Amino acid sequence: MQFSKKIKKSISITKQNLMEKTSNRENTLEPEEMKLLEKQISESKGNLRKLTKSIQKETLSSGVSIQDGTELSNNFIDYSVFLRENYPDLVILSGVLSKIGEFQAGFEDLKAKLNTSLINEVSNPLKSLTKTELVQAQNQKKEYDKVRVSYDASLSELSQLKKKKDTKPQKIQEQEIECETMKQKFENAGQETTSVLQDTNVISEFETIEKLCDYLDSYHTFFTKGYRWLAQMIPDIYEYRLYVEKRKAELEKSKVRMSMMLSPTKGAQEALKNKVFGEDLSVLLQKDQSAIPRFIIRAFHSIRNHITEEGLFRLSGTKRIIMEVKKNIDEGKEYNLDEITDVHVTCNLVKLFLRELQPEPLLTYSRYNDLIDVCNIEDPNGRVAKIQKVVQSLPKHYYNLLHHLMHLLYQISQTPKSKMGPANLATVVGPNILVSQHDVVVEDIALGNMVITTMIQNFEKIFNGAPQLVQEVFVQSTTSTSTLNTSFTTTATNSNGNFRSPSIDNSSDQHQIPIYSGVPMKNKHNDDDDCSTLGDSFDENEAVELSDD
């Protein structure tokens, strides 16, 4: 009898399950809260599985990239060793290759550590979460469903017994007792399951958030260590770039010297009369009848009109335009630099002019060692005084040009929008004016540019104020519309290099040009001004500061 009753109950439960699955009977006993909690568990489990699989897939893909990067690192280092063993003169190139090889190897190691962190700290814990807490919660819900279906089946059976007319009251009473027992069991299971599902969803949320933070931490560590690794190389990169700039300047000068040694043809001799680039400075000043070359006057005026332009002297102009303008200037053709829309072309022409200056670079070969030795002076004021002494010993025409150049660079460095501080300007202009007559030493390049940086930063002290700015004024000829009479006037500046209104002295002879006498102006300056070379960078936001160490 008891066995028969169990079979009937089992059949009733199975029927109840089947009716729910086929939607023939609605699940009315389970609270909506329970349904939502179960849905959240199921969705969390599915999404976390997708997430962990994607992380694993990404690390596998990155593993292939690490293998390629390691091979690249080995190639850099092998090339470096080859040069060192076979071409000792290419020690700089060998050093660059070695540094990059080391960087690449370290970078691949960081990527490998990142992958390990993503798997061990993120993917595996999330996989464990889906296989433990979430699965256990689902199993708990399955047990609850069994109790609920059993209770529902008992209620159905009681309802059927009551509908039958010949059912004995005792049987109905027994079924009512069973229903009451199942109800208590169902309520207890419901409370326990609700608590488990709620706790599991909370745990799932917290642990997922924690692992996602670990995910970001892993990348934070990766990028932080990578940046530090790269930052250690920035001083080397800086010196290597200076080395290249220096060698370029020397190569250009060598080409100019070679061209001067060759016997010019008659046509070439005629062209030399108008030559500006690669010309002897004293010869050029005699032709232009000016304190500084006419080209420089025009170029500096044009650059000042664009002084807020970002990257002056650093960004490159179009090479074709640069060479075309240079050719026109050297051929004596009339030109107007203000008509060039790209001021970087003009800046490049100025650097080219300084690079090809004859017979010596602007700071002369004989003063190179004295200026480099300035960096050994620990006292900033003493360093500035020494630079001033060396600068004032320059020939008058060299001093004049240097004074005007440094004034322009100082004005640019005081213009935040240009993003060209003293060190940045020194990096791109310095190699064109401070040149060694002997082989280039990488360490000296950095020291030389530190000297130029100090010169720009302490312009007021070293040059005792701004020069009288020579400005060219064009006057249309009354006899011919095709010719231009050129006169020059001076535009005064105050001690900070800010312009005051230009004035033209019409009473003076147009051929007699007011020029700067070469004697430093005695402007007052504050002895407490900063003489340090610190505080300037390659970029406004990111770069390594130049130091005196």
Side-chain angles (χ1 to χ4, degrees):
M1 184 70 179
Q2 189 71 22
F3 179 73
S4 175
K5 189 174 181 181
K6 286 183 178 180
I7 291 177
K8 286 182 179 181
K9 187 175 182 179
S10 178
I11 293 173
S12 178
I13 291 173
T14 303
K15 182 180 178 181
Q16 192 72 22
N17 272 323
L18 183 61
M19 291 174 67
E20 284 189 5
K21 291 179 180 178
T22 57
S23 300
N24 291 327
R25 181 176 176 82
E26 186 179 356
N27 177 9
T28 57
L29 295 179
E30 183 176 336
E32 285 299 320
E33 181 187 9
M34 182 82 72
K35 294 178 182 178
L36 293 175
L37 290 171
E38 180 187 19
K39 181 182 177 184
Q40 186 177 351
I41 292 287
S42 179
E43 290 175 344
S44 297
K45 183 179 177 182
N47 287 323
L48 287 176
R49 279 182 172 175
K50 289 181 181 179
L51 188 61
T52 54
K53 284 183 179 179
S54 296
I55 292 175
Q56 289 178 315
K57 185 177 180 181
E58 169 65 19
T59 54
L60 288 174
S61 175
S62 180
V64 176
S65 172
I66 291 172
Q67 292 179 355
D68 294 338
T70 301
E71 182 180 352
L72 176 61
S73 169
N74 293 334
N75 288 336
F76 277 126
I77 294 174
D78 289 345
Y79 189 10
S80 171
V81 173
F82 171 79
L83 291 178
R84 188 166 61 249
E85 293 178 350
N86 295 277
Y87 300 95
D89 292 341
L90 299 179
V91 61
I92 301 296
L93 177 56
S94 175
V96 174
L97 288 165
S98 177
K99 288 282 185 183
I100 294 178
E102 292 174 6
F103 166 75
Q104 191 69 40
F107 183 63
E108 301 309 327
D109 181 59
L110 283 178
K111 288 199 289 187
K113 290 179 179 178
L114 171 64
N115 286 348
T116 301
S117 178
L118 292 178
I119 294 296
N120 294 339
E121 304 298 328
V122 182
S123 180
N124 287 345
L126 290 179
K127 284 173 66 177
S128 176
L129 174 64
T130 60
K131 291 180 179 180
T132 54
E133 281 88 347
L134 296 183
V135 169
Q136 289 173 6
Q138 287 182 324
N139 290 337
Q140 177 68 33
K141 179 58 170 56
K142 288 178 182 179
E143 292 299 322
Y144 165 80
D145 285 337
K146 290 179 181 180
V147 175
R148 177 183 57 76
V149 171
S150 296
Y151 176 48
D152 200 3
S154 295
L155 290 175
S156 297
E157 187 175 350
L158 176 61
S159 178
Q160 290 176 3
L161 289 174
K162 287 181 177 181
K163 288 179 181 180
K164 292 180 181 180
K165 295 181 180 180
D166 55 347
T167 304
K168 295 180 180 181
Q170 183 181 356
K171 196 170 184 180
I172 293 175
Q173 186 179 7
E174 289 176 356
Q175 188 62 34
E176 287 177 344
I177 294 173
E178 182 179 342
C179 285
E180 192 63 33
T181 303
M182 290 300 300
K183 179 182 179 182
Q184 188 63 42
K185 188 176 181 180
F186 167 69
E187 290 177 350
N188 292 338
Q191 292 176 358
E192 182 180 356
T193 303
T194 299
S195 177
V196 169
L197 293 180
Q198 287 176 338
D199 291 347
T200 301
N201 279 322
V202 171
I203 291 171
S204 175
E205 178 192 6
F206 289 171
E207 290 198 14
T208 301
I209 291 174
E210 185 178 25
K211 293 305 123 185
L212 292 178
C213 289
D214 290 341
Y215 180 88
L216 294 176
D217 281 342
S218 297
Y219 273 100
H220 177 264
T221 301
F222 170 75
F223 285 117
T224 300
K225 289 185 177 180
Y227 173 77
R228 288 175 181 170
W229 184 268
L230 184 59
Q232 292 175 1
M233 296 186 64
I234 287 180
D236 295 319
I237 294 171
Y238 175 72
E239 291 188 0
Y240 291 142
R241 287 192 181 279
L242 295 181
Y243 169 80
V244 171
E245 287 289 332
K246 207 80 166 182
R247 293 303 297 267
K248 283 181 179 178
E250 290 184 349
L251 181 61
E252 291 293 337
K253 279 191 171 291
S254 177
K255 288 180 179 179
V256 171
R257 293 193 194 101
M258 185 61 68
S259 65
M260 293 178 66
M261 292 172 62
L262 300 176
S263 299
T265 61
K266 185 177 180 180
Q269 288 177 337
E270 191 68 25
L272 287 175
K273 293 180 180 180
N274 301 306
K275 186 175 177 61
V276 173
F277 293 83
E279 179 64 283
D280 187 301
L281 181 58
S282 60
V283 173
L284 187 57
L285 294 178
Q286 187 175 5
K287 288 192 296 184
D288 290 346
Q289 289 294 294
S290 175
I292 58 176
R294 181 181 304 171
F295 162 72
I296 291 295
I297 297 172
R298 296 183 178 185
F300 284 9
H301 173 74
S302 178
I303 293 170
R304 283 190 174 94
N305 286 339
H306 299 83
I307 201 164
T308 58
E309 182 78 18
E310 183 176 336
L312 293 174
F313 287 103
R314 175 171 59 84
L315 298 179
S316 298
T318 305
K319 187 173 182 180
R320 176 186 59 79
I321 299 177
I322 294 171
M323 301 315 295
E324 183 179 314
V325 176
K326 177 179 181 290
K327 181 173 179 292
N328 290 338
I329 293 173
D330 276 341
E331 290 178 355
K333 296 179 181 178
E334 188 53 51
Y335 62 94
N336 185 355
L337 296 178
D338 288 331
E339 293 180 353
I340 299 176
T341 56
D342 185 4
V343 68
H344 302 297
V345 168
T346 305
C347 290
N348 277 261
L349 285 168
V350 171
K351 289 199 295 183
L352 189 59
F353 174 86
L354 295 171
R355 190 181 307 146
E356 296 182 357
L357 190 64
Q358 294 297 323
E360 290 189 281
L362 189 55
L363 288 168
T364 72
Y365 293 125
S366 61
R367 291 161 181 81
Y368 179 84
N369 289 333
D370 289 338
L371 290 171
I372 293 297
D373 290 343
V374 165
C375 297
N376 295 325
I377 301 175
E378 295 184 1
D379 176 38
N381 290 310
R383 191 182 307 155
V384 170
K386 178 63 175 179
I387 293 176
Q388 184 183 42
K389 182 178 179 181
V390 174
V391 163
Q392 290 182 346
S393 72
L394 287 168
K396 178 180 177 180
H397 55 302
Y398 272 67
Y399 179 88
N400 286 347
L401 180 53
L402 178 67
H403 193 179
H404 282 272
L405 173 64
M406 287 298 148
H407 180 225
L408 174 64
L409 298 182
Y410 173 73
Q411 288 179 313
I412 294 173
S413 72
Q414 298 298 305
T415 308
K417 288 185 178 180
S418 73
K419 294 186 178 181
M420 292 297 292
N424 207 349
L425 288 166
T427 302
V428 293
V429 178
N432 301 290
I433 63 175
L434 183 58
V435 183
S436 172
Q437 199 169 10
H438 308 289
D439 292 337
V440 178
V441 179
V442 174
E443 290 77 8
D444 282 359
I445 298 173
L447 296 176
N449 281 274
M450 189 180 293
V451 171
I452 304 301
T453 301
T454 306
M455 201 177 294
I456 297 172
Q457 286 179 323
N458 299 277
F459 170 80
E460 293 285 345
K461 287 187 175 182
I462 293 173
F463 294 91
N464 295 313
Q468 287 183 299
L469 297 181
V470 183
Q471 185 177 19
E472 191 177 35
V473 178
F474 296 100
V475 181
Q476 186 69 39
S477 172
T478 57
T479 59
S480 172
T481 58
S482 61
T483 59
L484 288 171
N485 289 333
T486 306
S487 65
F488 298 90
T489 184
T490 58
T491 301
T493 63
N494 58 27
S495 60
N496 347 353
N498 294 324
F499 291 108
R500 295 205 302 267
S501 301
S503 59
I504 302 177
D505 184 3
N506 294 324
S507 63
S508 62
D509 187 348
Q510 290 183 350
H511 299 290
Q512 296 298 320
I513 307 146
I515 61 174
Y516 176 59
S517 64
V519 179
M521 297 173 65
K522 302 300 182 182
N523 288 16
K524 292 183 179 181
H525 61 270
N526 186 356
D527 292 335
D528 296 328
D529 288 348
D530 184 16
C531 300
S532 171
T533 60
L534 299 175
D536 189 50
S537 61
F538 288 105
D539 186 83
E540 189 176 35
N541 299 317
E542 53 179 3
V544 172
E545 292 184 340
L546 291 175
S547 66
D548 299 331
D549 295 338

